[in-house]
Amino acid sequence: MDILQRFLNYVAFYTDSDGSSDAIPTTPGQTLLLNLLEEEMAQLGLENIHRSPSGQLYGFLAATDDSMPNIGFIAHVDTVPNGKDVKPQIIHYEGGDIVHENGAVTPVAIFDFLEDYKGQDLIITDGNTVLGADDKAGIAEIMTAVEYLKAHPELPHGRIGVAFTPDEEIGRSSRGFDIEGFGMDFAYTLDGSTLGKVECENFNGASVRVRFNGISVHPGASKNKMKSAILICNEFINMLPAGED
């Protein structure tokens, strides 16, 4: 299967994560996609395919050269909200704003990186949903690379580890990740950036919920009693380290 068809198959899955859910994964669509990936990994001949209690899916490709380092590749199956009924469109981009099928506009003035893709074919949505390339593009890249390596055993490589994680968009993808069991010397997450660029650090995707409770008192008797939840929240925000929000 070529990488385009593989990607289009993956974005058809509705895999929004849900921060209000305690399920693992937090949404059923992620489980459905992980089930498909597990089947595909088995068809490609990966070894020791298994799920962890925290929801990660692992698989391994045997080394063709045991002297080479073990390399891992990781991607997440969930997307940000509004990933239901994705209808991908393929356009030939010649510059300027992108006008989607529903009339929505992706302006080049904001997304200036579009200028780097003049003359190329792009996969976009119809404007009603996200595309889900974050991170189903990474999944498609990993699976296609594994398929190629499996078909070309003459290419030297160490043991290859593959891991697909749920709920990255709500900061839970690394919970319970079995680093020791994964057993890689180095690992890379294929999730964004530009061709040929490797990022060695990133922001912390964890989240916290804070509830501010004020005290509501009739204005006629509120002196030194009424507490504004908004002002308390504002005071809390001002206490946070500048530049770290």
Side-chain angles (χ1 to χ4, degrees):
M1 185 185 304
D2 66 38
I3 192 169
L4 175 59
Q5 187 56 56
R6 188 168 261 130
F7 174 73
L8 295 178
N9 287 349
Y10 298 156
V11 298
F13 284 80
Y14 175 35
T15 60
D16 294 14
S17 45
D18 180 3
S20 66
S21 171
D22 293 325
I24 301 174
T26 58
T27 52
Q30 294 184 75
T31 299
L32 293 175
L33 179 52
L34 286 167
N35 291 343
L36 173 69
L37 293 172
E38 185 171 0
E39 293 175 5
E40 290 187 356
M41 291 163 77
Q43 291 167 3
L44 292 175
L46 271 66
E47 305 171 345
N48 191 21
I49 302 168
H50 65 282
R51 305 265 189 105
S52 70
S54 50
Q56 290 93 1
L57 171 63
Y58 302 97
F60 301 88
L61 181 64
T64 60
D65 184 343
D66 290 332
S67 69
M68 300 184 72
N70 300 328
I71 305 296
F73 297 99
I74 305 168
H76 63 90
V77 298
D78 65 315
T79 67
V80 295
N82 197 26
K84 187 177 183 180
D85 297 326
V86 174
K87 296 179 174 61
Q89 317 284 311
I90 300 176
I91 65 168
H92 187 74
Y93 182 65
E94 291 295 349
D97 296 347
I98 293 177
V99 180
H100 297 267
E101 190 176 81
N102 72 341
V105 178
T106 299
V108 72
I110 296 176
F111 302 97
D112 54 359
F113 60 83
L114 284 172
E115 293 294 321
D116 297 333
Y117 299 97
K118 284 183 179 179
Q120 298 187 36
D121 291 338
L122 303 182
I123 308 172
I124 64 173
T125 73
D126 63 356
N128 292 309
T129 68
V130 298
L131 179 60
D134 177 5
D135 188 24
K136 291 167 183 173
I139 299 172
E141 290 164 4
I142 292 171
M143 294 297 285
T144 304
V146 168
E147 182 179 46
Y148 186 85
L149 289 173
K150 186 66 177 178
H152 294 274
E154 73 279 6
L155 295 176
H157 60 80
R159 193 175 192 229
I160 302 295
V162 174
F164 297 123
T165 66
D167 298 315
E168 187 267 357
E169 298 293 355
I170 55 174
R172 302 183 191 177
S173 64
S174 59
R175 289 185 181 181
F177 192 96
D178 187 5
I179 296 175
E180 183 176 350
F182 199 41
M184 297 293 107
D185 298 307
F186 307 96
Y188 301 88
T189 298
L190 276 67
D191 186 3
S193 198
T194 55
L195 185 65
K197 183 176 180 180
V198 177
E199 297 173 349
C200 60
E201 61 182 8
N202 68 293
F203 71 96
N204 188 329
S207 62
V208 62
R209 290 189 177 187
V210 181
R211 182 185 180 97
F212 299 93
N213 294 313
I215 300 177
S216 180
V217 183
H218 188 282
S222 64
K223 184 177 175 74
N224 299 324
K225 298 176 182 177
M226 181 180 285
K227 301 293 183 183
S228 168
I230 293 176
L231 292 179
I232 296 171
C233 176
N234 184 64
E235 183 178 356
F236 174 81
I237 292 172
N238 288 334
M239 294 169 64
L240 298 176
E244 294 186 16
D245 51 22

